[in-house]
Amino acid sequence: MFTLVPSGFFNPSVERETLTEVVELKETDSVKHREIPQYDAVLIYNEDEDSSVSDGSLMFEMLRQLPDCKEYNKIICCISGGFLLLAIAQGKSLLLANAYRASDFTTAEYWIFLAMKSLQLNPEVSTVCWKGELEAEDEMSLYRYFKAVDRI
């Protein structure tokens, strides 16, 4: 998993301690960080030795691609390893970057709509960008609520 820290508060000498405040780590997990200059933030994440792709590196890719979303409300989602990874920005301001436990698409949709409601964003005027595989029926479900669905 991961956490996002404002660049001004990031201290690489305590990155493991910072991450353990939000995630339970195994001794064998390595902790890494990547700067996200467009949001003046640093993503701190763990890499489990048993995993080929970590949720943290996937979130980094999503945050890197978020500015490519065409609309003012930028929403990018991905389901990976039983989690919905979700990043939302408005213009150039990052509003949310989080992971939610979601064993199925319906649960993932619930988290997307809850996040949008809490940020007071209207799905009817927003486009959602989906990273990774998306079943046709799940894509149609998103189209019922969003202006458009883009695959990236």
Side-chain angles (χ1 to χ4, degrees):
M1 283 286 123
F2 55 86
T3 190
L4 206 57
V5 177
S7 296
F9 293 103
F10 176 67
N11 181 348
S13 66
V14 293
E15 68 184 7
R16 186 174 189 89
E17 291 80 7
T18 301
L19 189 57
T20 57
E21 290 178 18
V22 294
V23 175
E24 188 174 320
L25 296 175
K26 296 185 263 180
E27 279 190 40
T28 57
D29 288 348
S30 64
V31 176
K32 298 185 178 192
H33 71 272
R34 304 214 35 200
E35 293 186 29
I36 306 168
Q38 68 265 33
Y39 298 120
D40 195 27
V42 177
L43 183 73
I44 305 171
Y45 61 98
N46 71 310
E47 284 195 349
D48 187 326
E49 64 182 14
D50 301 330
S51 174
S52 59
V53 177
S54 75
D55 290 334
S57 52
L58 187 54
M59 178 54 79
F60 174 77
E61 286 303 313
M62 291 171 58
L63 291 170
R64 194 179 59 74
Q65 292 174 311
L66 194 56
D68 298 336
C69 297
K70 301 171 200 148
E71 304 293 327
Y72 180 70
N73 292 340
K74 301 173 184 315
I75 304 151
I76 188 168
C77 308
C78 178
I79 294 179
S80 173
F83 286 89
L84 167 73
L85 301 179
L86 175 63
I88 300 176
Q90 232 178 11
K92 294 182 178 183
S93 298
L94 181 65
L95 302 177
L96 180 131
N98 208 346
Y100 303 92
R101 192 170 299 282
S103 58
D104 56 50
F105 185 78
T106 302
T107 305
E109 270 187 319
Y110 166 82
W111 288 118
I112 294 166
F113 295 129
L114 185 65
M116 292 194 66
K117 182 178 179 181
S118 72
L119 295 170
Q120 299 179 346
L121 300 177
N122 185 352
E124 294 174 356
V125 297
S126 302
T127 297
V128 64
C129 298
W130 196 271
K131 184 172 178 67
E133 292 185 29
L134 183 63
E135 300 289 329
E137 66 185 51
D138 297 337
E139 184 174 359
M140 290 310 297
S141 180
L142 289 171
Y143 269 113
R144 285 186 217 131
Y145 303 101
F146 288 93
K147 179 174 90 171
V149 179
D150 289 343
R151 302 250 197 125
I152 56 172

